[in-house]
Amino acid sequence: MIVKESFHIRRTLPFVWFDSLLAVGSATAAYLLIDRGGVHWLALPSLLATVMGTALAILLAFRATTAYQRWWEASTIWAQLTGQSRTLIRVARTITDAKLADPSIDPDTVHLWQRDLANRQAAWAHSLARQLRGQDPDAELARLLPADEASLVLAADNRATVLARLQSQAIFRGYAAGILTGLDNFQMETALAGLSTQQALAERMSTTPIPRPHDYVTRMFVHCYIVVFPFAAISALTSYRWLVIPSALLIALFFRMVERVGASTEEPFANRTQDVPITALATNLERDLLELVDVRERPAKPVPVDGYLW
Amino acid sequence: MIVKESFHIRRTLPFVWFDSLLAVGSATAAYLLIDRGGVHWLALPSLLATVMGTALAILLAFRATTAYQRWWEASTIWAQLTGQSRTLIRVARTITDAKLADPSIDPDTVHLWQRDLANRQAAWAHSLARQLRGQDPDAELARLLPADEASLVLAADNRATVLARLQSQAIFRGYAAGILTGLDNFQMETALAGLSTQQALAERMSTTPIPRPHDYVTRMFVHCYIVVFPFAAISALTSYRWLVIPSALLIALFFRMVERVGASTEEPFANRTQDVPITALATNLERDLLELVDVRERPAKPVPVDGYLW
Amino acid sequence: MIVKESFHIRRTLPFVWFDSLLAVGSATAAYLLIDRGGVHWLALPSLLATVMGTALAILLAFRATTAYQRWWEASTIWAQLTGQSRTLIRVARTITDAKLADPSIDPDTVHLWQRDLANRQAAWAHSLARQLRGQDPDAELARLLPADEASLVLAADNRATVLARLQSQAIFRGYAAGILTGLDNFQMETALAGLSTQQALAERMSTTPIPRPHDYVTRMFVHCYIVVFPFAAISALTSYRWLVIPSALLIALFFRMVERVGASTEEPFANRTQDVPITALATNLERDLLELVDVRERPAKPVPVDGYLW
Amino acid sequence: MIVKESFHIRRTLPFVWFDSLLAVGSATAAYLLIDRGGVHWLALPSLLATVMGTALAILLAFRATTAYQRWWEASTIWAQLTGQSRTLIRVARTITDAKLADPSIDPDTVHLWQRDLANRQAAWAHSLARQLRGQDPDAELARLLPADEASLVLAADNRATVLARLQSQAIFRGYAAGILTGLDNFQMETALAGLSTQQALAERMSTTPIPRPHDYVTRMFVHCYIVVFPFAAISALTSYRWLVIPSALLIALFFRMVERVGASTEEPFANRTQDVPITALATNLERDLLELVDVRERPAKPVPVDGYLW
Amino acid sequence: MIVKESFHIRRTLPFVWFDSLLAVGSATAAYLLIDRGGVHWLALPSLLATVMGTALAILLAFRATTAYQRWWEASTIWAQLTGQSRTLIRVARTITDAKLADPSIDPDTVHLWQRDLANRQAAWAHSLARQLRGQDPDAELARLLPADEASLVLAADNRATVLARLQSQAIFRGYAAGILTGLDNFQMETALAGLSTQQALAERMSTTPIPRPHDYVTRMFVHCYIVVFPFAAISALTSYRWLVIPSALLIALFFRMVERVGASTEEPFANRTQDVPITALATNLERDLLELVDVRERPAKPVPVDGYLW
């Protein structure tokens, strides 16, 4: 996620150079052919620039709206699974703390069980974040899970699903150890069911891009408009027609930037600077989960680097 | 779902040829009659092209938004039922695993019951996907269900509903076999209730198209605008009026493509290339469900063919 | 719901004749007065046609969006209550089937109870559909309910609410008969609670139209624009000014059709061709519910008549 | 809520007189100064009217959308609490009816308890409706509650919250009286939790208006556009420039009406004619709740008066 | 939150002075160079002002919509957690009141436990509100919590999460004290799970601003349009071209104000006048929670100061 509030022009160049060249090229051609070369019949009606310009602006607004909604939905999904992960560990902690009143229960068993659950939930979040971004979760899994579980999870097709199953199994180990009784698992299973839904929604966001034709048609029409604009605009200039060149450049920058602003946020888990910062959010969640079970050694709070939070 | 990022122009021809011909025909007629034939009274005011162009662009934006929202809702519905299916099988697995501590429980009974449930849930997903796309589910049902259940389901009016009932009945067979006790069915029935809602929402998406008049009126107005445009634009060209022909073609391509981009995604289960890829998603779900119950023989991961994921 | 994909022009005439006449009348008046009669001072600035045309197009797009969203929400509500009705009957069936293992339970009591519940749920859906459309539910109630219940329900103020209460009471009769025990009612009551919410949402849709001023202002402005357009457009035509008449007719058809397309879907339970087809959907639901309890005599699947599904 | 479908012009005058006068005044000034007085330098470019007109139309569409969504959300909130109130009383009725099988339970105790709960729920709805509209609930509370409860509630800061607590306490009195046992309160407490959320959402709607600057800026720009329009439009009229006066009036009526249509629905609980009719809805709910517990004396069904339902 | 309905012009100056100067400067330069200095070749085609103006208006409408939706979502989140906090305390109160029938339960224990829970829930709300606004919660924590808990919470990374854990632990202290039994904690834990989700959504709103490029690109294009407008508009004025200066100023004010209206609400927890008034809402919630447990000494109802509610 981009945290800084202004941008160096050099950062935007990669996104606009092609259309800028297109605009300058087309406008120079229009100027040279029509004004210098006198090929007047090439001038298109300015009506074309107006009608297509309005239609293109509306199309780009649709795209920007759609892209932002995807980005915001991605951030909502992550917030939901943050809240549900904390609920899972809060309930696991307090429900087993209550069992400590029974002298036959060994406090260490309880605390180890609590920390095991919190670590695995953090591993779940890191594993999901890495999977969504197409990265390897080895380091986090090795750090947070027992060795046998880590290798089981690494070998799995769907790591987060298997981790959720391991959480369920750990809950039943709690029953076997006598630190859970009766319907104690109820709230925890409800949280796991919610996490399963959010996981599926996040995976879907990552594997289901905006329909390709939307993207393709929008990009093509921006290019096309940039090429057509000078030929349609030049007849609106009665003299000093080389002004069509800066005008076309302005239009190109404007439409292209709006198109890019839309495109940049429509894949919020693509491992790019405009992402929802799920690596940082997973670390923050790990910190919260460990605090819930009184673990003092927690990873450092992630901070933005060069204005980007990852 | 279209996975590839660019398109061959030949693929878009079937969608635009009619309107392209309409544009060229109408513009040629306008050129020949008004410019060559001197029937000047046929030239309409250019105001008409502006006002109708703006209105049409807004109408097409509404349609594209609506269509995308339907497509995205379809994909959300499938993600929801993916998450809930995994929850159902995760709970079934872990809750009955816990019973293995009791030596009177036969481990094979437990594992068979778990796999039976996972297979049937995969059959449910395949059956729903086939039903939404108007396809036959015979192969999947025969592969995943016992023969008697497969023929019962094939004979049913609403196969997915009957499969959900069979899941419920399998849960009660678990009680009878002593591998479920007390409120063990609670989380599983909650998942089945959620699946029932998502099934109804998916069926609705498939049987409730966008209101026909929306579609009809939009298409008619695109055709109509393409016919009217040359007559309204020609008076804006003072000379070289044959330029109205490429101008009309551009406008036709633009408006028609935007109309098609909208229309292409508005029926997300129509068994077309722009569909949400529910056949592939059902296979992925089957893989996850089988992994949850430790089945090693799983169908292969679906991959896009020629840039299309089905 | 309209199922057919094209429309006879005769079907759209009732919606557009008034505005078509208005356009022809106003344009003829403008032509005769200004062009023939020489009352040049009547020509309004064409700016008026542009500014008002853009504003009206945006207003109509807002209306079409709103109307479609209401229609889609109506269809979502019905899908939700379909899913929850199936859940209710699926749970009722499987939870009582499980009791058949107890030899003291009479299988006939169980099956009668199951079918009674399924019939009453179908009656609930039919009764709600009829109420939403302002129709009489006598026939369905008589067909699906015992005579005493049918007359009780017919006498009620809010028939669906009383039917839901009868479902709750039937559940408790199940307890009295020994075919339900413990928390068996839990999932069924949860389904009934969901159905109660969907019923309230559906009733609200039916009794809360779009705010009248929205409708009134939109209609008035369409009429008004159609009257003003010829006077504002005529000055854009330097010769052959009678062309203002077909131009005005085109504009009138365009704006009026868009306004009508919006209006037609904004009351989705109004017992009109554009409705969500709740009578057919209720019959389909009845078929599913009866299949869930193995009743073979089910009503026929509703099919569209003349391209309309009711 | 406005039920009638057409409006007397006299009813809209209070909303448009100021802007109509502004338009006539400004247009007359423009005509007298520029056309009669020859102060030609006052004529602004017509470009200004086009650009600002388009922008203003888009701004007004945003406002109308927002306002309608608030109104519809308000109506959804009330529908939700209607459904949940019916669920609460349906469950209370049927769960205690089932206890009548026990001969030690006095039927009168049960029926009194049921009616007490239904009356209090109706009081809750009336109290909330009155609070949202800034009205006094004395009459309804006195009619529906025992005297001591009525005075307790009237003295409370948040009457609906205290009434919900009294419902919870009545449920526990049911336990004390032996007409509720075990987990009987579960579904009722779930309904009360849902009602608590809907109450908070409704209170929020009533206390959180649309951000003031949105309203202020929109209103100011409408006034401003109405003043500027004649000066920008007059140069588009080459002769008979007094036509700028009716043109400006048309524009003023159009933009002002659209602005008002938006503003009128954005505060749906403001005790105005455009409100969601919560007083009537609360009475309808009371009728349903009393019918659920077989009370025959119910308030009359509210009917619209002069086309308004309150 | 701004409560007053009109604004002193002095309050809006800080937001518009830069763009106003830009407009006056650019328009003066255009006037002096083109009209006075005769550098006619600087005049851009007016087409540029139309196309860019329309596109910019659509972009600003997208931004205003997005910003308002964020603001409204923030207010919905707070309403949800208000409703769930009241549910938590209502259930805690009534469920333990019911235990007073048992003579072995000390009423004071019950009442102290109830008030402890209500105070801590108020502390949770205040702590979250302060955290969202980047403020210190010391005063509220010291006032509402026992000293040891206050210092524990102050030392925590995520104070609201730790406070929710303390609530869970207090519930289990209720079991230990015999004032809770069986599944009494169920509804309370469900409320706490809901609160956890709303907390995560609120934190996300506060830490996830609108994507920076959206903001940056929008601001840049407003500045850019204001600079370009006079050069594109001046050719539309045939005489008295200094009128381009007030015209440009009008356009600048219009576009800038719309941009600011959007920007002002997009960070609803930023501790600014346009915020959702969460400090006041937390105090109101404290009043409701204390009333639910019959505490008479409650903080005063927050009132707007100078038209602002904080």
Side-chain angles (χ1 to χ4, degrees), chain B residues 204-286:
Chain B
R204 181 271 319 247
M205 179 66 80
S206 153
T207 56
T208 312
I210 213 164
R212 295 289 188 216
H214 282 71
D215 183 63
Y216 185 73
V217 163
T218 314
R219 257 187 302 131
M220 284 304 115
F221 284 148
V222 169
H223 297 335
C224 175
Y225 187 67
I226 289 170
V227 171
V228 168
F229 180 82
F231 291 88
I234 204 162
S235 58
L237 286 160
T238 40
S239 52
Y240 306 100
R241 287 180 153 178
W242 62 267
L243 276 172
V244 80
I245 303 174
S247 302
L249 188 59
L250 251 170
I251 288 286
L253 283 170
F254 188 89
F255 280 105
R256 177 61 175 173
M257 285 301 280
V258 176
E259 195 263 334
R260 274 304 93 189
V261 158
S264 71
T265 52
E266 88 196 4
E267 294 195 33
F269 297 139
N271 203 16
R272 294 188 306 204
T273 54
Q274 300 93 337
D275 271 21
V276 173
I278 51 177
T279 304
L281 291 173
T283 304
N284 278 334
L285 177 56
E286 181 183 348

Side-chain angles (χ1 to χ4, degrees), chain B residues 82-153:
Chain B
T82 298
Q84 286 160 342
S85 293
R86 291 177 190 153
T87 295
L88 174 67
I89 301 306
R90 191 198 67 241
V91 171
R93 157 85 194 259
T94 53
I95 221 164
T96 51
D97 269 8
K99 300 303 189 300
L100 294 172
D102 175 350
S104 76
I105 301 282
D106 174 17
D108 283 357
T109 314
V110 169
H111 295 139
L112 279 175
W113 182 85
Q114 291 173 352
R115 284 166 196 194
D116 174 63
L117 224 65
N119 278 324
R120 199 181 293 103
Q121 193 56 30
W124 180 87
H126 283 297
S127 168
L128 182 58
R130 299 273 157 184
Q131 172 194 329
L132 295 174
R133 286 184 157 172
Q135 297 172 318
D136 240 354
D138 300 46
E140 274 85 6
L141 295 184
R143 181 165 63 80
L144 289 160
L145 295 180
D148 56 333
E149 285 196 1
S151 60
L152 175 75
V153 170

Side-chain angles (χ1 to χ4, degrees), chain D residues 6-300:
Chain D
S6 65
F7 299 90
H8 200 282
I9 203 153
R10 202 164 45 79
R11 299 276 319 175
T12 58
L13 265 181
F15 301 115
V16 297
W17 69 265
F18 178 75
D19 291 83
S20 301
L21 278 187
L22 214 57
V24 171
S26 169
T28 307
Y31 171 66
L32 292 179
L33 288 167
I34 297 169
D35 194 66
R36 299 282 99 181
V39 195
H40 294 302
W41 58 263
L42 267 172
L44 296 169
S46 70
L47 183 66
L48 208 64
T50 321
V51 170
M52 281 183 74
T54 304
L56 189 57
I58 294 169
L59 191 68
L60 290 174
F62 155 63
R63 181 168 169 75
T65 307
T66 303
Y68 173 72
Q69 283 170 348
R70 286 171 66 93
W71 191 82
W72 190 242
E73 185 180 341
S75 123
T76 302
I77 291 167
W78 201 269
Q80 290 269 0
L81 63 83
T82 296
Q84 287 161 340
S85 293
R86 290 176 189 154
T87 294
L88 174 67
I89 301 307
R90 189 197 68 240
V91 172
R93 157 85 194 260
T94 53
I95 221 165
T96 50
D97 268 8
K99 300 302 189 298
L100 294 172
D102 176 349
S104 75
I105 301 283
D106 174 19
D108 283 357
T109 313
V110 169
H111 294 139
L112 279 175
W113 183 85
Q114 291 173 350
R115 286 167 195 192
D116 174 62
L117 224 64
N119 278 322
R120 199 181 292 103
Q121 193 55 30
W124 180 87
H126 283 298
S127 169
L128 183 58
R130 300 271 156 184
Q131 172 194 330
L132 294 173
R133 287 185 156 170
Q135 298 172 317
D136 240 355
D138 299 46
E140 274 85 7
L141 296 185
R143 181 165 63 80
L144 289 159
L145 295 180
D148 56 333
E149 285 197 1
S151 59
L152 175 75
V153 170
L154 274 172
D157 269 356
N158 191 322
R159 286 171 189 143
T161 302
V162 170
L163 275 162
R165 193 192 70 196
L166 292 172
Q167 288 292 60
S168 260
Q169 291 174 317
I171 291 170
F172 283 103
R173 279 205 300 278
Y175 278 99
I179 61 178
L180 291 176
T181 54
L183 294 176
D184 281 354
N185 68 327
F186 201 92
Q187 304 279 359
M188 287 186 272
E189 285 291 346
T190 302
L192 283 170
L195 289 164
S196 177
T197 297
Q198 301 304 322
Q199 176 196 334
L201 289 170
E203 288 171 356
R204 182 270 321 247
M205 179 66 80
S206 153
T207 56
T208 312
I210 214 165
R212 294 290 188 214
H214 282 70
D215 183 63
Y216 185 74
V217 164
T218 313
R219 256 186 304 130
M220 284 305 115
F221 283 150
V222 170
H223 297 337
C224 175
Y225 187 66
I226 288 170
V227 171
V228 168
F229 180 81
F231 291 89
I234 204 161
S235 58
L237 286 160
T238 41
S239 51
Y240 306 100
R241 290 180 151 178
W242 62 267
L243 277 172
V244 81
I245 303 174
S247 302
L249 187 58
L250 251 170
I251 289 285
L253 283 171
F254 188 88
F255 281 105
R256 176 61 175 173
M257 285 300 280
V258 176
E259 194 263 336
R260 273 304 93 189
V261 158
S264 70
T265 52
E266 88 196 4
E267 295 194 34
F269 298 139
N271 202 16
R272 294 189 306 205
T273 54
Q274 299 93 339
D275 271 21
V276 174
I278 49 178
T279 303
L281 292 173
T283 304
N284 277 333
L285 177 55
E286 181 182 346
R287 285 165 55 81
D288 290 349
L289 298 178
L290 295 181
E291 180 166 61
L292 275 170
V293 295
D294 290 338
V295 172
R296 287 189 185 284
E297 296 79 36
R298 303 196 285 264

